[in-house]
């Protein structure tokens, strides 16, 4: 039996080799080896927490997370079965090198073990690695656009006052402020809306959006108060007594004499003037005009504010004080009248002279306006009884003090006495 197996051994081995060669020949003829190229293959980054867990950030450089060309070689039936989506490119971040590159591993999701080769035009992902930085910025709110005439912006408030920005140190360090803006054109009432938060550098230029920058909030609620405006006059007065021989004219002026204020419509409708207490302007002992500065802001009604941002509320106020003048006026005895005399009596007043002088003092304008022909001496019986100058009204002679129909602001410098003769009517 053993001899039969070894008989013609060379011929038998040759037959086996020929059969194998023939099989290979037939196989290559029917399923030859071929090469195929795939373009623009994305690289998947895995284990990214390896860097982020160390407080670092990364940026892919030069679009190196995409492979321009992947070439596979293998049997035609295998290669033809592989689609672009089957090509898997992976970069494991835990294998990052000291020069911040990550090797790419390439494979096929199908028939990978049946391929003769798989090659790629680039073999690593290039990274820029930085420390991660976070900052908190106060959130500023502003408005844009023109309001209708007669309206101004009041308070602009946000639901949150701070925004936290995180990202690569180089990007975060360039951020100087965070702002939101609300368009107010055409509005006449308060606005409540959500606005997108934007970041700006030190020069006021908006920082371009970058996926590596993250904000703890991206929008915020903004409330814009819109107020009406109205010009309101200021009313001043003065307190105190000027120096002897001087008198306040009663005129107190201010520059400006009115202010533009802002508030809600119902508040402004009920506001006609702003009265400043006379304690702000003291003319005690003054021998000339008194000018002072007054801050009117503390006298504005509640819910009302100054509408002009350039006006600080300080008003220049002048109280006018003039020296009194004295004038002598001649009054005739016939111009004296008796008032409130009971019907059963008649009276006669004598001054011992048909005409007599009186001296009056006051402001020049008031004194110069006096008309002597219109000035009467007056004997008021009721007044005499009230003051006790006459205890009981009966016939007789009485020495009485005359009063005169002078303006309240004009003073009589000396008393004038007349003889009053009262008699019962027959």
């Amino acid at each position: 039996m053993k001899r039969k197996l070894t008989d013609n051994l060379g011929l038998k081995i040759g037959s086996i080799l020929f059969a194998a060669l023939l099989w290979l020949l037939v196989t290559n003829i029917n399923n030859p080896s071929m090469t195929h190229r795939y373009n623009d293959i994305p690289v998947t980054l895995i284990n990214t927490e390896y860097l982020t867990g160390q407080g670092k950030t990364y940026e892919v450089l030069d679009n190196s997370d995409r492979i321009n060309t992947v070439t596979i070689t293998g049997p035609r039936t295998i290669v033809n079965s592989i689609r672009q989506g089957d090509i898997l490119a992976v970069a494991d971040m835990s294998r990052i090198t000291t020069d911040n590159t990550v090797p790419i591993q390439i494979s096929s999701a199908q028939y990978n073990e049946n391929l003769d080769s798989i090659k790629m035009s680039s073999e690593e992902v290039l990274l820029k690695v930085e420390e991660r930085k976070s900052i908190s910025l106060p959130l500023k709110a502003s408005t844009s656009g023109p309001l209708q005439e007669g309206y101004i912006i009041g308070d602009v408030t946000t639901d949150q006052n701070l925004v936290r920005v995180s990202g690569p140190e180089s990007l975060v360090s360039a951020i100087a402020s965070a702002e939101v803006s609300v368009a107010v054109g055409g509005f006449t009432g308060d606005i409540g809306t959500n606005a997108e938060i934007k970041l700006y550098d030190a020069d006021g230029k908006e920082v371009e959006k970058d996926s590596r920058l993250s904000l703890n909030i991206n929008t915020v609620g903004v409330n814009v108060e819109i107020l009406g405006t109205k010009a309101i006059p200021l009313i001043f007065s003065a307190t105190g007594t000027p120096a002897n021989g001087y008198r306040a004219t009663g005129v107190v002026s201010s520059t400006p004499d009115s202010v533009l204020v802002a508030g809600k419509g119902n508040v402004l409708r009920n506001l006609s003037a702003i009265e400043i207490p006379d304690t702000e302007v003291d003319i005690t002992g003054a021998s000339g005009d008194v000018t002072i500065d007054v801050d009117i802001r503390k006298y504005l009604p509640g819910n009302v504010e100054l509408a002009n941002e350039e006006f600080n509320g300080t008003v220049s106020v002048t109280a006018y004080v003039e020296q009194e003048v004295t004038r002598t006026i001649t009054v005739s005895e016939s111009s004296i009248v008796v008032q409130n005399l009971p019907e059963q009596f008649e009276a006669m007043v004598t001054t011992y002279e048909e005409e007599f002088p009186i001296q009056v003092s006051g402001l020049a304008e008031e004194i110069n306006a006096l008309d002597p022909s219109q000035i009467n001496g007056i004997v008021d019986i009721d007044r005499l009884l009230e003051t006790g100058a006459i205890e009981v009204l009966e016939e007789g002679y009485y020495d009485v003090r005359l009063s005169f129909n002078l303006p309240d602001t004009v003073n009589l410098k000396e008393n004038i006495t007349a003889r009053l003769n009262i008699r019962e009517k027959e």
Side-chain angles (χ1 to χ4, degrees), residues 310-383:
E310 299 177 357
F311 176 49
N312 65 3
T314 300
V315 174
S316 178
V317 183
T318 299
Y320 295 92
V321 175
E322 294 182 5
Q323 189 172 12
E324 291 183 335
V325 297
T326 300
R327 178 182 176 187
T328 300
I329 298 175
T330 300
V331 179
S332 66
E333 185 181 76
S334 60
S335 67
I336 299 175
V337 295
V338 179
Q339 296 178 345
N340 300 314
L341 181 67
E343 292 184 0
Q344 68 269 29
F345 293 104
E346 59 184 6
M348 178 182 300
V349 180
T350 59
T351 58
Y352 310 107
E353 294 182 4
E354 292 185 0
E355 293 183 335
F356 56 94
I358 62 171
Q359 280 194 326
V360 294
S361 64
L363 298 176
E365 183 178 3
E366 298 166 342
I367 296 299
N368 293 334
L370 293 176
D371 182 358
S373 65
Q374 299 299 316
I375 296 177
N376 298 318
I378 299 172
V379 177
D380 188 342
I381 301 300
D382 286 347
R383 179 66 175 164

Side-chain angles (χ1 to χ4, degrees), residues 8-22:
N8 302 315
L9 182 60
L11 181 60
K12 291 178 180 179
I13 293 173
S15 298
I16 292 172
L17 292 175
F18 177 76
L21 180 62
L22 183 62

Side-chain angles (χ1 to χ4, degrees), residues 116-145:
D116 295 334
S117 66
I118 181 167
K119 298 179 181 180
M120 48 189 167
S121 58
S122 56
E123 298 182 347
E124 59 188 12
V125 177
L126 308 178
L127 299 179
K128 178 182 179 181
V129 179
E130 294 184 68
E131 294 294 329
R132 185 176 183 83
K133 182 178 181 180
S134 295
I135 58 173
S136 292
L137 297 170
L139 193 55
K140 301 177 183 178
S142 62
T143 60
S144 62

Side-chain angles (χ1 to χ4, degrees), residues 2-272:
K2 182 178 180 181
R3 184 176 179 178
K4 289 182 178 180
L5 291 174
T6 56
D7 287 346
N8 302 315
L9 182 60
L11 181 60
K12 291 178 180 179
I13 293 173
S15 298
I16 292 172
L17 292 175
F18 177 76
L21 180 62
L22 183 62
W23 180 84
L24 288 173
L25 179 62
V26 171
T27 300
N28 285 330
I29 291 174
N30 294 324
N31 192 20
S33 178
M34 68 174 295
T35 297
H36 187 76
R37 291 181 179 178
Y38 302 87
N39 299 320
D40 194 25
I41 302 300
V43 179
T44 301
L45 304 180
I46 64 173
N47 293 325
T48 55
E49 66 275 7
Y50 178 78
L51 285 178
T52 58
Q54 301 177 47
K56 298 181 184 295
T57 65
Y58 64 88
E59 176 187 4
V60 177
L61 300 178
D62 302 331
N63 204 30
S64 59
D65 60 346
R66 302 194 78 84
I67 305 172
N68 288 335
T69 304
V70 172
T71 304
I72 63 172
T73 300
R76 182 177 62 184
T77 56
I78 298 297
V79 172
N80 286 339
S81 299
I82 297 175
R83 300 291 180 261
Q84 174 134 343
D86 296 326
I87 305 301
L88 304 178
V90 177
D92 188 342
M93 299 286 272
S94 66
R95 299 179 61 193
I96 188 170
T97 65
T98 56
D99 58 355
N100 293 330
T101 63
V102 182
I104 300 173
Q105 296 175 312
I106 193 77
S107 63
S108 172
Q110 295 191 73
Y111 309 112
N112 188 67
E113 67 281 0
N114 299 119
L115 295 175
D116 295 334
S117 66
I118 181 167
K119 298 179 181 180
M120 48 189 167
S121 58
S122 56
E123 298 182 347
E124 59 188 12
V125 177
L126 308 178
L127 299 179
K128 178 182 179 181
V129 179
E130 294 184 68
E131 294 294 329
R132 185 176 183 83
K133 182 178 181 180
S134 295
I135 58 173
S136 292
L137 297 170
L139 193 55
K140 301 177 183 178
S142 62
T143 60
S144 62
L147 286 174
Q148 289 192 17
E149 186 177 355
Y151 293 87
I152 66 167
I153 300 297
D155 292 332
V156 181
T157 58
T158 56
D159 292 346
Q160 299 190 49
N161 298 322
L162 291 175
V163 59
R164 188 168 182 81
V165 183
S166 303
E169 184 175 19
S170 61
L171 293 181
V172 174
S173 297
I175 298 172
S177 62
E179 298 182 18
V180 292
S181 182
V182 176
V184 298
F187 283 89
T188 59
D190 294 348
I191 303 171
T193 187
N194 286 325
E196 181 184 4
I197 298 173
K198 295 185 179 181
L199 305 175
Y200 296 87
D201 62 20
D203 296 326
K205 183 180 179 182
E206 185 178 351
V207 176
E208 293 183 4
K209 292 183 179 179
D210 193 301
S211 60
R212 293 171 295 157
L213 286 175
S214 63
L215 284 66
N216 65 323
I217 51 173
N218 293 298
T219 62
V220 67
V222 185
N223 296 302
V224 181
E225 184 182 40
I226 297 182
L227 304 174
T229 61
K230 184 179 181 181
I232 304 296
L234 300 173
I235 299 177
F236 286 90
S237 56
T239 187
T241 302
N244 188 32
Y246 291 83
R247 185 175 307 174
T249 67
V251 176
V252 183
S253 65
S254 67
T255 303
D257 59 3
S258 65
V259 292
L260 188 68
V261 299
K264 296 297 184 182
N266 58 335
V267 175
L268 295 183
R269 280 192 294 271
N270 295 325
L271 184 61
S272 59

